[in-house]
Amino acid sequence: MELVYRPYYYSKVEKFLGTGVLLVLTGQRRVGKSYVMREVVQRKRQDSDSCVIYIDKEKTDFDFIQNYKDLVAYIDERREPNKHTFILIDEVQEIEGFERGLRNYYDNPDIDIIVTGSNSDTLSSDLATLLSGRYVEIFVQGLSYEEFLIFHNLEDSDDTLRRYINFGGLPGLRPIGLDDPEVVRQYLQGVYNTILVKDIVRRKKVRNVSFLENLIKYVGDNIGKPLSATNIQNYMTSNKNEVSKNLILNYLKAMSEAFLVHDVTRFNLHGKKLLENNDKYYFGDVGLRNFIVGGRRANDIEKIVENLVYQHLIRLGYKVTVGQIYATEIDFVGTKGDDTIYVQAAYLISEESTFEREFGNLQKINDNYPKYVISMTPFMDSSKYEGIIHVPLADFLKNGF
């Protein structure tokens, strides 16, 4: 299959090659970390002065590399004298004690190491112990809408945006195609099962798997709503599912560590401090979210739009929190260096009450940072309303701000 490049991520990788830091591509399984890795492999193999050693632990061909001793033996056997060595390992956390093996190579100026992983807790704790800050994480997401158009050879249209909303942005859908929803559903089910079993149940030794799956579905059905262990516990108890708050918190943490969901904290805009409860959760991929929750998109399109806006703000490099100013909530506060933006996300702004809520909430913020409302409202183009800019969803997903 022809490799489709992802230049946005490759350029990030290229900046750090030769600098002596270990690169870690993190993110949920199947979001395309391997595409980035293979692009590096393909480009570097074209250089006769490079020795490329690529290990893909998702493939059974590499099942024999079980621990760090196997890893070191495999690498040493393939290194070539007088060549710059690139060591690339996909899903490195599948190798027991991988950090001990990498210790042999990471400080060699003639070696670059790039690894991918699908569990933030394992990678950060093990690598932090090994490298004491001498590594860089590059967070990889599924396809942006612009990449989605390229991967599936589609033109931007209402129907294409509908497909992106329905099926999400996992690159693995490219060879499958989007024409048969049942085939797409089967693919998403396989991805979900892999994340559930490998990255949550097995890694965290989860015993109550049925509750875990109910919790994942509950979170998916409550995108954009503040969630706490207490209100989740009350809901589960009303459905005759008795669980402790600690178990709920542990499972939510495990879901976040596997990048299945993102935990977004709330920020008090008046007191300028983070609030410690009622976080919101968004999915790393809306296609997986839709598969898990089921039902028709028409019933929860508002949630999906909000999720897509969150994903793209992260893609644009913003650190995202939920804003709270007195009793008013701002969907997203994005910060990047010294820059701040405020964003409201909506499906349609067709009534005066909706207009007042989305634009009025932003008007309550007394500073001069940019303020945006993003929606799918027909015939409402990029316009200003008392300094607040409306951006159509498709334009935002393609061009940002």
Side-chain angles (χ1 to χ4, degrees), residues 319-344:
K319 181 180 179 182
V320 179
T321 56
V322 175
Q324 190 80 32
I325 179 165
Y326 302 111
T328 299
E329 183 177 275
I330 306 301
D331 288 336
F332 302 116
V333 180
T335 56
K336 188 193 300 186
D338 294 330
D339 296 329
T340 298
I341 59 170
Y342 303 106
V343 179
Q344 292 285 85

Side-chain angles (χ1 to χ4, degrees), residues 257-313:
E257 289 173 353
F259 303 104
L260 180 64
V261 300
H262 295 204
D263 181 353
V264 184
T265 55
R266 293 185 306 129
F267 184 74
N268 187 321
L269 296 173
H270 179 68
K272 301 297 181 183
K273 63 180 180 179
L274 289 173
L275 303 174
E276 296 181 353
N277 55 17
N278 292 327
D279 291 356
K280 290 187 176 185
Y281 290 84
Y282 296 93
F283 272 70
D285 181 76
V286 295
L288 269 183
R289 180 266 169 200
N290 296 338
F291 161 75
I292 292 166
V293 174
R296 297 175 61 85
R297 301 288 75 74
N299 298 330
D300 51 17
I301 184 64
E302 192 89 25
K303 303 171 188 176
I304 301 171
V305 168
E306 191 169 328
N307 204 129
L308 287 173
V309 170
Y310 166 77
Q311 287 176 306
H312 202 58
L313 286 171

